[in-house]
Amino acid sequence: MAGVTEVQETTSEPPLGVEGKPAQVKWSRSVFYNATILGLCSFAAPGLWGAMNSLGAGGGQSPYLVNTGNALTFCLMVISCWLTSGIVRYIGIKGALFIGTIGYAPYSAGLYLNNRYGVEWLVIVGAAFCGISAGVFWAAEAAIAIAYPEPHNRGRMVAYWLTWTRIGQILGGAVNLGLNVDRNQAGKVSYTVYIIFIALQASGTLVALLLNRPSQVQRPNGTPVQLTIFDNPWQEIKATTKTFLTKKFLFIVIWIGQGVYAEAVFFTYNALWFSVRARALGSFLSGIVAVICGNLLGLWLDQHHIPLRRRSRSAFAVIMTLQGAWWLWLAINVTEFRRTQPIFDWSDPGFGRAFGVFVFLVLGFQLNYNFSYFIIDQISSGPQETIRLAALLRGTQSAWQAVSYGLNAIPIIASVGGPYINFGLWGVSIIPAWLVIKDFGASDGKDDVENRVEDQAEELRKD
């Protein structure tokens, strides 16, 4: 490609042994180690961000200010995601991950001051800091999660990494439940929760320094991690834009939207219609359910003895069918709640019907998230495009979430409009996404794209 140079990193790691396998894989250089470090960063940064939002309104009494701040965060993330591949040229993937963790603690500090003293300006400023850094973090972590694992373990490693994000939500819910277990009315959570979160988020910046560079990673099969670095960031930005305009990516844009638009919808639902302790319980239980089912999906997608065509189509069918059922359930609930204006506690009649759909929607969000990385991996033609597609995926997710949080700052959208819009997005997204997924494993009996890439890498290594 004209104007582009691939930078090869040198390493002092042990040489490859017989049949391309390392003589010994150090745990501190292993894929699992790096997936754990990436997971810990995700736990400290977006995981605890999600923990606060899973409490509804960032733990506040009213969702509107926090939804406005989150809309700003995701607007800025669209830009920073788009620029990430160029940024990596100068600071590397490890540096990008480090920089990406910095903005989360100021966001939490803004929520703390608003919760305790009613200060509003730092919520917006903190959201801006978070948006600038988080876009870099999102794109970098996605590229690492897809590129570092061996292809046949990629589904499980992606699920393992995303598990840490949900552990943040589970821990946040558990802490908040313990502090607010006697609060059976609407309101805001204890400000002590924010102090704990700020300290944990600040630690994520130091954890990022423990990640290995791509050249240092040792896979059990001896194949190298291939992450390409480009000389000219402007050429990379143009290449990323060109990738966005491909048919396969454009066809999944609405599908990506229906999956992530949901976050603002169900977190706002949690804030509007439940007591403080019920919100904390929802954060805790939904995180556990999402972790279990997300890992089961990853396990299914890694069953390479089952044809790719069957794995991809069945996963898509199950996810979309369940998602449609849950949106119908939520639409019925919010239509009724807008008329009756209830506040549900776990001791109230009707709590199960109101609460259950929240848990299932968080589960659906996790399944859509996991499956989106599988799709990106399948439509990618190589390591360079994987980096671009990862940035585009996270940038597109950010754009949809900016719209979602922005609209859910409007009371009528927050109460009933959000679920209706998301239900419509679900319906519109099915056919375009199917036109992409139906081709996985369907052409000339070819094996998985990721296995072909691994074979090519093995040939290059032997040469």
Side-chain angles (χ1 to χ4, degrees):
M1 182 176 178
V4 176
T5 302
E6 181 175 336
V7 177
Q8 299 290 344
E9 296 181 318
T10 60
T11 177
S12 60
E13 299 306 321
L16 296 176
V18 179
E19 296 181 355
K21 295 184 180 180
Q24 182 180 4
V25 175
K26 294 182 180 179
W27 184 79
S28 60
R29 295 287 186 259
S30 66
V31 172
F32 183 77
Y33 165 84
N34 284 280
T36 301
I37 294 300
L38 184 65
L40 288 171
C41 291
S42 295
F43 160 77
L48 292 177
W49 183 94
M52 284 179 287
N53 280 278
S54 70
L55 302 174
Q61 184 166 2
S62 171
Y64 307 117
L65 173 64
V66 173
N67 282 348
T68 301
N70 287 344
L72 174 61
T73 293
F74 285 113
C75 281
L76 293 172
M77 285 176 67
V78 175
I79 300 171
S80 53
C81 277
W82 209 280
L83 299 176
T84 295
S85 57
I87 293 171
V88 169
R89 166 64 185 89
Y90 293 104
I91 62 177
I93 198 72
K94 180 177 178 178
L97 191 72
F98 173 82
I99 294 296
T101 61
I102 293 175
Y104 284 91
Y107 170 84
S108 299
L111 295 181
Y112 167 75
L113 288 180
N114 179 253
N115 180 282
R116 190 168 186 183
Y117 302 112
V119 176
E120 296 186 354
W121 67 267
L122 191 56
V123 173
I124 304 301
V125 173
F129 273 111
C130 187
I132 293 168
S133 69
V136 178
F137 182 91
W138 270 30
E141 69 168 352
I144 293 167
I146 294 173
Y148 275 33
E150 312 95 301
H152 64 276
N153 284 327
R154 192 161 288 150
R156 279 169 285 191
M157 283 300 171
V158 167
Y160 172 69
W161 153 56
L162 291 175
T163 292
W164 284 97
T165 304
R166 285 298 166 195
I167 287 175
Q169 176 184 325
I170 294 168
L171 177 62
V175 169
N176 190 49
L177 186 60
L179 292 173
N180 296 285
V181 69
D182 296 325
R183 301 181 65 183
N184 61 353
Q185 296 178 336
K188 57 187 179 181
V189 306
S190 170
Y191 64 80
T192 307
V193 174
Y194 297 99
I195 297 175
I196 297 171
F197 284 179
I198 291 169
L200 289 172
Q201 286 183 321
S203 70
T205 304
L206 299 177
V207 174
L209 296 175
L210 300 176
L211 185 80
N212 294 155
R213 295 190 303 273
S215 62
Q216 295 176 309
V217 179
Q218 297 176 354
R219 288 172 167 175
N221 62 3
T223 55
V225 173
Q226 299 193 7
L227 279 176
T228 305
I229 304 173
F230 293 85
D231 275 341
N232 189 334
W234 176 241
Q235 292 290 335
E236 179 59 18
I237 291 170
K238 290 196 294 184
T240 301
T241 303
K242 184 177 179 180
T243 301
F244 176 80
L245 296 174
T246 59
K247 183 176 70 173
K248 285 186 176 181
F249 192 84
L250 289 176
F251 275 12
I252 62 170
V253 166
I254 300 178
W255 180 84
I256 293 170
Q258 65 83 33
V260 298
Y261 190 98
E263 184 177 66
V265 174
F266 56 69
F267 284 160
T268 301
Y269 175 81
N270 196 25
L272 286 175
W273 310 119
F274 295 94
S275 67
V276 171
R277 67 180 185 179
R279 286 157 61 180
L281 179 64
S283 174
F284 179 68
L285 287 182
S286 63
I288 293 175
V289 172
V291 163
I292 294 172
C293 294
N295 279 277
L296 289 175
L297 175 61
L299 184 63
W300 168 252
L301 295 175
D302 273 349
Q303 298 302 305
H304 293 280
H305 62 281
I306 299 173
L308 172 61
R309 181 177 183 178
R310 179 181 172 189
R311 280 180 281 138
S312 57
R313 292 184 175 196
S314 59
F316 178 75
V318 170
I319 291 170
M320 297 306 287
T321 300
L322 292 175
Q323 198 79 359
W326 297 331
W327 284 124
L328 178 60
W329 183 355
L330 186 70
I332 294 171
N333 278 4
V334 297
T335 302
E336 176 186 331
F337 297 166
R338 177 158 176 80
R339 184 179 69 255
T340 60
Q341 295 294 307
I343 296 294
F344 286 102
D345 186 58
W346 62 52
S347 61
D348 294 335
F351 173 76
R353 179 171 71 90
F355 181 80
V357 70
F358 171 76
V359 175
F360 286 127
L361 284 170
V362 176
L363 163 61
F365 182 86
Q366 185 79 357
L367 295 179
N368 277 275
Y369 234 63
N370 285 32
F371 197 61
S372 66
Y373 291 102
F374 173 78
I375 293 176
I376 291 302
D377 190 33
Q378 290 299 316
I379 66 176
S380 174
S381 60
Q384 299 176 25
E385 192 170 31
T386 296
I387 298 172
R388 298 180 195 129
L389 285 168
L392 288 171
L393 170 65
R394 304 317 292 263
T396 303
Q397 289 172 335
S398 299
W400 279 109
Q401 288 179 280
V403 173
S404 180
Y405 277 106
L407 289 177
N408 276 276
I410 303 171
I412 187 64
I413 300 295
S415 59
V416 293
Y420 296 164
I421 293 171
N422 217 150
F423 199 178
L425 286 173
W426 166 83
V428 172
S429 72
I430 294 174
I431 293 177
W434 170 250
L435 293 176
V436 175
I437 292 166
K438 72 180 180 63
D439 292 331
F440 295 171
S443 58
D444 301 325
K446 292 180 181 178
D447 199 357
D448 299 36
V449 169
E450 66 266 21
N451 286 341
R452 298 201 300 276
V453 171
E454 182 182 53
D455 292 340
Q456 293 166 5
E458 184 74 11
E459 291 299 321
L460 289 172
R461 184 195 56 73
K462 289 178 180 179
D463 292 340

